[in-house]
Amino acid sequence: MRTSIATVCLSGTLEEKLHAAARAGFDGVEIFEQDLLVSPDSPETIAGLARDLGLSLDLYQPFRDFEGVEEDRFQQNLVRAQKKFELMTRLGMNTMLLCSNVGTATISDDGIVVEQLRRLGDLAQGYGIDVAYEALAWGRFVSEYDHAWDLVRSADHPRIGTCLDSFHILSRETDLSRISEIPGEKIFFLQLADAPALSMDVLSWSRHHRVFPGEGAWDLTDFLTRAALTGYAGPVSLEVFNDSFRQADTQRTAVDGLRSLRWLEASVAADVDIRDVAARGDDAGGGARAGGGDAARDDDAGAAGAGSGIALDLQPLPRVAAPSGIDYVELSTDDLGTLTRQLHQLGFRFIGFHRSKQHVQLWRRGSARIIITEVEPDSARGTFLRGIGFEVADASASMDRASLLHAIEVPREQTHNDEVLRGVFAPDGSEVFFHQTTGDDPVWIAEFGAGGVERSSHIDHINLAQPAHHYDEAVLFYTSLLALEAQPSQDVPSPAGLVRSQVMSSPDGAVRIPLNVSPTRTAEVTDRGTGAVGESYPEHVAVACEDIFAAAATALARGLDFLEVPQNYYEDLEARFALDPQLLERLREHNILYDRDEGGEFLHFYTATIGSVFFEMVERRDGYRGYGAPDAPVRLAAQHRRNAGR
């Protein structure tokens, strides 16, 4: 599948954007007009740079406010178009995007629009240029893709086709069934953008909140599958207007964009195969959910769509299933005594030092395993979450998939008798390792001289802080590499402002990763632990136990510094749930918080923060599936008071 990206997606100069797109691996780019206008380089120089970088220049855009006007203005518009065609010739480009008129249209007459499109096609013919007519969602008279297609079809000109843009179509919730009516050769260009589900005017939504495929709320697998089934054979391009993207690192954003397309491509490959099988009456394809992602499908059988008229060369990715659990959490610290003392207070026991790395040790509580790496004070300051090991069915396939999705492998020192473990960096700088599921203790534990399976406790969830500029990238990362599913996001109030939180989880809930963006955390997290203590929004590891009161009693006896819960909370708790007075008193005595939903109960307590890490002990009763979200403001306020010395 030929990939392309609009230069408007990226920060920097036009030249920097071209270099970033090429290094990321895109086949081509769309030139956004403003990027060219502010460049000191001539069109010929830009064309030469693109050739040298191996990039095709796929689309010149946008050309606005053309059709649906009186004849005198239309003549002026033809002159404008001619100048743009001449410029495109200098660039060596042959496709221009024509947006439906927003600002100057005065005639709501399809017949006149058709005639004007036809006359534009005659002009374009002399320059060998194709015009892709796109319905903007806020167009004056043309705002739906099917209306734009009806006009293009009526114009019946070889140089006039249509552009399908997922944002303009999906934001209006337009019926997609008519996409199948459009011949693939009359779709002159295809643009993709995802978006979060927001209630706001569509223009603001479009200009500020688009994201890459897989980072929003829309089913782009279904959308692209429908376009592919028309026989469309051109580039699949990203057109994303996003304030954060245009402030972020150019290269990093380009890589994130290509990852989104490769993930979507594999999802569509699987979807096309399923629809192709269903069309032949094979029951093996029945019941599949279109657009549900490729991770759970058999998508390693080669390019898809051989019998379905698909012109796009859709390449699959190695199949992976969501992780079955958390193998370990690794923490780095320059305050080893404080951290290990807190682990002991929580009921963890010391297993041993790594046989070849004496600065690495293992602690465990049941099957909850914490690896601690002691670092020199000049290497990192404070305590921070370094990485997570995920239990997967096929570690080699997971690593291969991650590599194809442009994740960077973590360099790892190991001796000849160490277990070979491989992982990649997550967008926040943490390490993600893939560990083969065995059903017993993982093989690597023997490197710490430990054995014996314990099942009384496990990692319930891991709460990760994310830099605001790369929050959407993190959602895509965990979706595309680990087949986790994004749950609806929510905002949690804190003394510093709202904290945005979104849970990434496996379908069975065995792996839960809440991602948080703090209003005070504005610096990018590329080297965890290099900032001063207190600069980072804290992260935490939640450990499930069978008896929260026993865990709290042990912790209290061992001198744990609990995060204090105010009396006001318990008075409100009594009012909300009418708890038994004895239970309420036990909760208050142990600084335990409480929540309830239709499934069951959730009891939990927090430790004080060490560096940027703290722990949570939890007990789930009778199928409770949440995370105690109503209690999060209490925790955030208590941490704020503690950090302020109050």
Side-chain angles (χ1 to χ4, degrees):
M1 184 178 84
R2 286 181 57 211
T3 59
S4 188
I5 184 170
T7 56
V8 74
C9 300
L10 304 172
S11 64
T13 66
L14 177 56
E15 294 75 14
E16 291 169 341
K17 296 178 182 191
L18 294 178
H19 279 282
R23 284 194 296 266
F26 282 94
D27 299 307
V29 298
E30 302 177 36
I31 296 291
F32 195 71
E33 184 173 66
Q34 183 174 336
D35 287 324
L36 179 66
L37 295 181
V38 301
S39 172
D41 290 333
S42 68
E44 290 80 6
T45 299
I46 295 299
L49 176 60
R51 280 194 304 272
D52 293 343
L53 294 173
L55 292 171
S56 58
L57 298 180
D58 298 326
L59 184 75
Y60 189 83
Q61 67 123 325
F63 191 66
R64 302 183 185 277
D65 297 333
F66 175 78
E67 83 291 6
V69 296
E70 300 290 345
E71 181 63 23
D72 58 344
R73 181 178 286 272
F74 180 70
Q75 288 296 331
Q76 296 172 17
N77 290 345
L78 283 177
V79 172
R80 281 198 299 122
Q82 181 176 356
K83 295 296 183 183
K84 296 305 177 185
F85 293 157
E86 292 170 354
L87 173 62
M88 291 174 62
T89 300
R90 296 172 63 192
L91 286 163
M93 301 181 72
N94 58 16
T95 306
M96 181 177 77
L97 179 69
L98 171 63
C99 301
S100 62
N101 199 325
V102 172
T104 65
T106 58
I107 302 174
S108 178
D109 186 322
D110 284 359
I112 290 177
V113 173
V114 166
E115 178 60 25
Q116 291 177 345
L117 288 176
R118 190 177 295 126
R119 291 165 66 183
L120 179 62
D122 290 340
L123 179 63
Q125 182 72 49
Y127 292 89
I129 288 175
D130 291 332
V131 177
Y133 184 51
E134 171 188 62
L136 296 184
W138 52 90
R140 181 80 179 274
F141 299 124
V142 180
S143 58
E144 302 276 6
Y145 83 91
D146 49 354
H147 187 188
W149 162 238
D150 288 339
L151 296 169
V152 167
R153 180 175 55 184
S154 297
D156 192 23
H157 196 290
R159 291 294 177 181
I160 301 295
T162 192
C163 171
L164 296 182
D165 182 311
S166 63
F167 182 88
H168 293 294
I169 297 172
L170 298 178
S171 65
R172 295 183 62 89
E173 301 183 351
T174 309
D175 180 6
L176 303 182
S177 63
R178 289 200 61 198
I179 290 177
S180 63
E181 299 177 15
I182 309 174
E185 63 271 15
K186 293 302 288 183
I187 301 175
F188 282 3
F189 210 73
L190 186 63
Q191 295 175 319
L192 297 179
D194 206 338
L198 299 174
S199 297
M200 62 188 309
D201 70 278
V202 69
L203 179 57
S204 297
W205 193 10
S206 172
R207 286 289 175 257
H208 303 287
H209 300 287
R210 298 193 196 192
V211 290
F212 291 138
E215 298 177 353
W218 289 338
D219 186 354
L220 289 186
T221 299
D222 177 60
F223 179 84
L224 183 53
T225 299
R226 290 174 183 270
L229 289 171
T230 68
Y232 175 74
V236 177
S237 187
L238 298 170
E239 189 196 37
V240 173
F241 298 86
N242 184 292
D243 296 343
S244 294
F245 289 8
R246 284 181 278 189
Q247 300 172 35
D249 179 77
T250 310
Q251 188 61 52
R252 181 168 176 169
T253 305
V255 171
D256 185 35
L258 188 63
R259 177 182 297 137
S260 75
L261 283 182
R262 292 305 181 204
W263 167 77
L264 181 61
E265 176 184 19
S267 298
V268 173
D271 204 37
V272 167
D273 280 344
I274 289 172
R275 296 188 190 204
D276 198 29
V277 168
R280 296 197 305 267
D282 190 335
D283 289 340
R289 179 175 63 88
D294 65 310
R297 297 167 175 164
D298 188 8
D299 53 3
D300 48 9
S308 57
I310 298 294
L312 295 177
D313 181 18
L314 299 170
Q315 297 300 317
L317 292 166
R319 179 184 178 182
V320 299
S324 58
I326 301 294
D327 199 20
Y328 69 82
V329 176
E330 182 175 2
L331 305 177
S332 284
T333 186
D334 65 353
D335 190 2
L336 184 63
T338 302
L339 179 59
T340 56
R341 182 166 56 253
Q342 191 174 86
L343 286 174
H344 170 70
Q345 292 164 341
L346 291 174
F348 282 80
R349 64 185 180 90
F350 174 68
I351 301 301
F353 292 98
H354 191 273
R355 62 191 175 198
S356 65
K357 305 168 187 174
Q358 289 302 302
H359 63 291
V360 180
Q361 54 184 268
L362 174 64
W363 290 70
R364 71 183 297 171
R365 190 185 197 280
S367 59
R369 293 176 283 267
I370 305 292
I371 293 176
I372 299 177
T373 300
E374 186 178 15
V375 295
E376 297 296 330
D378 58 351
S379 299
R381 300 178 62 187
T383 299
F384 59 95
L385 192 150
R386 181 167 182 166
I388 305 171
F390 290 93
E391 296 176 353
V392 297
D394 189 335
S396 294
S398 294
M399 189 64 203
D400 290 345
R401 181 182 178 93
S403 297
L404 290 170
L405 288 169
H406 306 281
I408 299 174
E409 185 167 3
V410 176
R412 181 176 183 268
E413 295 180 5
Q414 57 187 38
T415 63
H416 69 281
N417 60 345
D418 286 347
E419 180 74 7
V420 177
L421 301 176
R422 299 179 69 191
V424 297
F425 288 107
D428 63 1
S430 63
E431 300 169 0
V432 169
F433 274 87
F434 308 108
H435 297 256
Q436 197 90 16
T437 303
T438 62
D440 297 317
D441 268 348
V443 176
W444 60 264
I445 287 186
E447 298 170 19
F448 294 87
V453 181
E454 303 178 48
R455 298 297 180 192
S456 61
S457 192
H458 63 274
I459 302 292
D460 185 86
H461 62 274
I462 304 169
N463 195 306
L464 297 177
Q466 301 299 306
H469 284 175
H470 299 294
Y471 174 82
D472 296 311
E473 180 185 358
V475 172
L476 174 63
F477 176 88
Y478 287 105
T479 299
S480 61
L481 271 71
L482 289 166
L484 299 181
E485 299 174 353
Q487 308 304 314
S489 64
Q490 57 183 313
D491 292 330
V492 179
S494 80
L498 290 179
V499 175
R500 181 183 177 191
S501 181
Q502 183 160 36
V503 174
M504 307 297 300
S505 69
S506 58
D508 62 0
V511 173
R512 305 178 178 97
I513 311 287
L515 303 176
N516 287 346
V517 176
S518 166
T520 59
R521 183 171 183 149
T522 56
E524 292 185 12
V525 184
T526 54
D527 295 305
R528 284 180 169 242
T530 57
V533 175
E535 282 187 355
S536 302
Y537 178 79
E539 305 178 301
H540 76 267
V541 179
V543 180
C545 62
E546 295 178 344
D547 186 340
I548 192 72
F549 291 106
T554 298
L556 185 64
R558 294 179 178 180
L560 178 70
D561 184 12
F562 285 78
L563 193 66
E564 293 183 6
V565 181
Q567 173 65 24
N568 292 334
Y569 168 79
Y570 292 107
E571 291 181 2
D572 180 69
L573 203 62
E574 182 180 22
R576 283 193 293 141
F577 295 116
L579 295 179
D580 179 89
Q582 288 186 324
L583 173 59
L584 187 64
E585 182 56 33
R586 293 184 74 192
L587 295 173
R588 180 187 293 109
E589 179 183 353
H590 293 89
N591 284 287
I592 294 175
L593 297 98
Y594 178 93
D595 189 34
R596 181 193 300 165
D597 63 14
E598 64 278 2
E601 298 174 299
F602 188 65
L603 291 80
H604 56 137
F605 68 83
Y606 298 102
T607 70
T609 302
I610 304 173
S612 62
V613 174
F614 64 96
F615 292 91
E616 178 186 10
M617 298 298 293
V618 309
E619 180 187 347
R620 295 178 182 272
R621 297 178 177 178
D622 302 323
Y624 180 96
R625 294 184 60 83
Y627 304 87
D631 298 333
V634 179
R635 186 258 299 174
L636 289 165
Q639 289 174 329
H640 179 77
R641 290 193 302 273
R642 179 70 64 91
N643 291 339
R646 295 195 292 270

